[in-house]
Amino acid sequence: MGQIIPWNFPLLMAAWKLAPALAAGCTVVLKAAEQTPMTALRLAELFQEAGFPPGVVNILTGFGETAGAAIAAHPDVDKVAFTGSTEVGKLIVQAASGNLKKVSLELGGKSPAVILADADLDIAIPGAANGIFFNHSQACCAGSRLFAHKSVYDRVVSGIADIAGKIKVGPGLDPATEMDPLVSEEQFARVTGYIENGRQSGAHIAVGGNRVGNLGYFVAPTVMDRTTPDMRVVQEEIFGPVLCAQPFGDDDLEAIAKQANDTIYGLAASVWTRNGSVAHKLARRIRSGTVWINCHNVFDASLPFGGYKQSGWGREMGEEVFHNYTEVKAVTAAL
């Protein structure tokens, strides 16, 4: 089995990949992200200390376009599991065609947070803020598109902007820091480029929108108001602390779901309302692998995680993950 993990949760992603594969009886070659290899290498040492037989778990470092591509294309790899961007996921699918290896993909997202008129705003506002700004928004399931009913929209946007403005941005080793820097110069350029594009497209910056300090890759938590569905910042994954907010005035669940589903992605979503029946009806209409109700970014090892549409193939965690690492065999004998 070949496994390729991203840089945003390096140890967690290694655990998500390795545990089910090993439980299913597979041997693994896992490539760590070039930006964050150290945790995976330490994990390899722990496997050795635990007495795993040689060759069962193999940890590689290297760049995606070389080491990752080799794993995806290698004829002796029967299955490749990848977590990362949709663009790279498509390249892996192409590379896997050589021997038609099985592929599972956990890819990008542009997850909606839908706040209905009756939502408890004391829960929804900080919950939606955490949904986007958790881990500096370097998370595939970040709630980066905010839809709030027009009757509560102004209060929601101002509330999230107030929270964003108070987040302490600084070095990760500082105990007082609440949001540390982006992972690299490349990611910093990507995020600030999107912010500038949104500004030029007519979005209003309610808070943030700027670099923090003169050194490092620090970006202020940003809330963009007056965004429209055609904007790049609304349609494309930014992977940084940028929330794009839009009001809606329709109470029809089909219309609300249509807005939430207006994306190539379908990884996650959250619905905020006091009405449990409405929450489940809307959750059923939203095309995403995970829908949270009155929360966001809540995980459990027993729950499957993965996406619809261009957010991927297959599921991580839960019973579903074992479909990634097993094949069904029928044996028929004449007695």
Side-chain angles (χ1 to χ4, degrees):
M1 300 294 165
Q3 300 183 325
I4 304 171
I5 59 173
W7 46 259
N8 56 335
F9 296 98
L11 183 58
L12 178 66
M13 292 292 100
W16 277 24
K17 288 287 188 290
L18 288 169
L22 295 174
C26 303
T27 59
V28 176
V29 176
L30 181 142
K31 191 197 87 67
E34 56 264 32
Q35 300 90 341
T36 55
M38 299 306 292
T39 49
L41 292 174
R42 176 58 180 148
L43 188 59
E45 294 176 345
L46 296 175
F47 275 115
Q48 286 184 316
E49 291 178 21
F52 269 61
V56 173
V57 177
N58 308 274
I59 306 295
L60 297 180
T61 59
F63 293 96
E65 57 267 27
T66 51
I71 290 172
H74 201 286
D76 290 335
V77 174
D78 296 322
K79 158 70 199 286
V80 62
F82 171 74
T83 296
S85 71
T86 295
E87 293 77 13
V88 175
K90 292 177 180 179
L91 295 176
I92 287 175
V93 171
Q94 295 172 15
S97 65
N99 68 339
L100 293 180
K101 59 174 59 69
K102 291 182 67 176
V103 175
S104 60
L105 304 167
E106 197 268 278
L107 306 177
K110 196 71 177 175
S111 301
V114 182
I115 300 180
L116 301 180
D118 70 335
D120 184 341
L121 299 188
D122 290 336
I123 295 174
I125 289 172
N130 180 70
I132 178 61
F133 297 128
F134 167 71
N135 201 45
H136 211 312
S137 309
Q138 296 176 135
C140 50
C141 54
S144 53
R145 292 184 300 139
L146 173 70
F147 298 95
H149 192 274
K150 62 181 181 181
S151 63
V152 298
Y153 179 79
D154 289 341
R155 181 179 168 189
V156 167
V157 171
S158 64
I160 295 176
D162 184 59
I163 292 171
K166 295 177 181 177
I167 294 174
K168 180 174 175 52
V169 179
L173 296 178
D174 184 345
T177 292
E178 297 172 308
M179 181 179 287
D180 48 11
L182 294 170
V183 69
S184 64
E185 182 179 9
E186 178 184 9
Q187 190 65 15
F188 175 81
R190 174 187 175 91
V191 173
T192 54
Y194 270 112
I195 292 172
E196 183 57 29
N197 179 269
R199 183 183 283 113
Q200 293 179 2
S201 299
H204 170 251
I205 308 297
V207 69
N210 58 283
R211 179 177 193 165
V212 177
N214 297 318
L215 297 174
Y217 309 130
F218 300 95
V219 175
T222 300
V223 176
M224 287 191 173
D225 189 12
R226 305 174 196 164
T227 61
T228 56
D230 60 311
M231 291 181 179
R232 286 184 60 204
V233 290
V234 174
Q235 289 297 325
E236 299 178 17
E237 186 178 38
I238 298 174
F239 225 63
V242 182
L243 179 66
C244 299
Q246 300 177 52
F248 65 89
D250 202 322
D251 293 321
D252 178 69
L253 296 185
E254 294 290 348
I256 297 170
K258 184 177 180 180
Q259 281 187 278
N261 291 332
D262 184 20
T263 171
I264 63 171
Y265 300 108
L267 188 58
S270 58
V271 176
W272 305 80
T273 174
R274 287 185 172 93
N275 189 319
S277 176
V278 168
H280 283 281
K281 288 177 181 178
L282 184 54
R284 184 174 182 178
R285 289 166 170 81
I286 294 175
R287 297 193 65 209
S288 66
T290 295
V291 179
W292 291 292
I293 296 174
N294 292 325
C295 56
H296 201 105
N297 288 332
V298 175
F299 296 93
D300 189 286
S302 65
L303 295 176
F305 182 76
Y308 287 32
K309 300 186 282 185
Q310 293 190 41
S311 286
W313 294 348
R315 296 292 183 268
E316 302 282 350
M317 300 195 298
E319 181 181 352
E320 291 293 320
V321 71
F322 291 104
H323 296 306
N324 294 342
Y325 300 105
T326 55
E327 294 271 24
V328 175
K329 179 187 290 185
V331 178
T332 304
L335 302 179

